[in-house]
Amino acid sequence: MMQLSYYPDAIVQAAHRVNELDSQLMAVQQQINRFEGNADRSAAFDMDLKNDAQRKARRFEVLLVNQEYQKAIDTQLRLTAEKANAIAHLEYLRNQFSIAKLEARLAIAQQLTDFESRELVGL
């Protein structure tokens, strides 16, 4: 367990990591949205397609062959997992800090109790 004074900095660093990952996720999501928008536009203006089912199938085909889209989806999955782990680490640090504070309070209370006991006995 860390010293009590180190927890605030560690918690801030962990929170920054979560925010970093969230920002990266938003950027990847925008990229994915652009790819999907382009696929939708491509399917929407294809005169050979006669109905929505054909347009959805074409959209799927366009996205399936787009390597950048597949890479963005993989990145999104990886970042989502990293963010979940970063949030778990942040919560772990917060909980450890709470425990460390309680332990410090207990130690102080025990010292005060011991001091008062010695005073009562006359030591």
Side-chain angles (χ1 to χ4, degrees):
M1 204 185 294
M2 280 188 257
Q3 289 183 358
L4 197 59
S5 61
Y6 293 145
Y7 278 101
D9 284 337
I11 290 170
V12 166
Q13 288 175 2
H16 284 306
R17 180 66 182 144
V18 170
N19 290 338
E20 261 178 43
L21 290 167
D22 200 35
S23 176
Q24 291 175 11
L25 268 168
M26 285 190 285
V28 169
Q29 186 59 52
Q30 285 181 335
Q31 189 178 28
I32 289 169
N33 291 344
R34 261 185 267 124
F35 288 132
E36 290 175 348
N38 288 338
D40 288 340
R41 186 180 61 233
S42 172
F45 293 109
D46 189 338
M47 295 302 163
D48 294 334
L49 305 176
K50 306 211 184 320
N51 57 39
D52 282 342
Q54 289 179 342
R55 285 185 192 86
K56 285 180 186 178
R58 177 61 53 92
R59 176 188 188 274
F60 180 75
E61 288 171 355
V62 168
L63 292 174
L64 192 61
V65 297
N66 185 337
Q67 294 301 315
E68 290 179 42
Y69 176 75
Q70 297 302 322
K71 183 179 173 184
I73 292 293
D74 292 342
T75 301
Q76 182 185 39
L77 293 172
R78 181 184 52 80
L79 288 173
T80 300
E82 281 184 41
K83 182 181 173 187
N85 289 333
I87 289 171
H89 180 66
L90 175 60
E91 288 305 310
Y92 173 78
L93 287 173
R94 286 178 177 160
N95 291 335
Q96 288 295 104
F97 185 46
S98 294
I99 290 168
K101 288 189 299 185
L102 290 172
E103 288 173 346
R105 288 179 186 155
L106 178 62
I108 292 168
Q110 287 173 339
Q111 288 173 355
L112 289 173
T113 303
D114 291 345
F115 178 73
E116 289 172 357
S117 297
R118 280 189 237 132
E119 268 188 0
L120 289 173
V121 175
L123 296 175

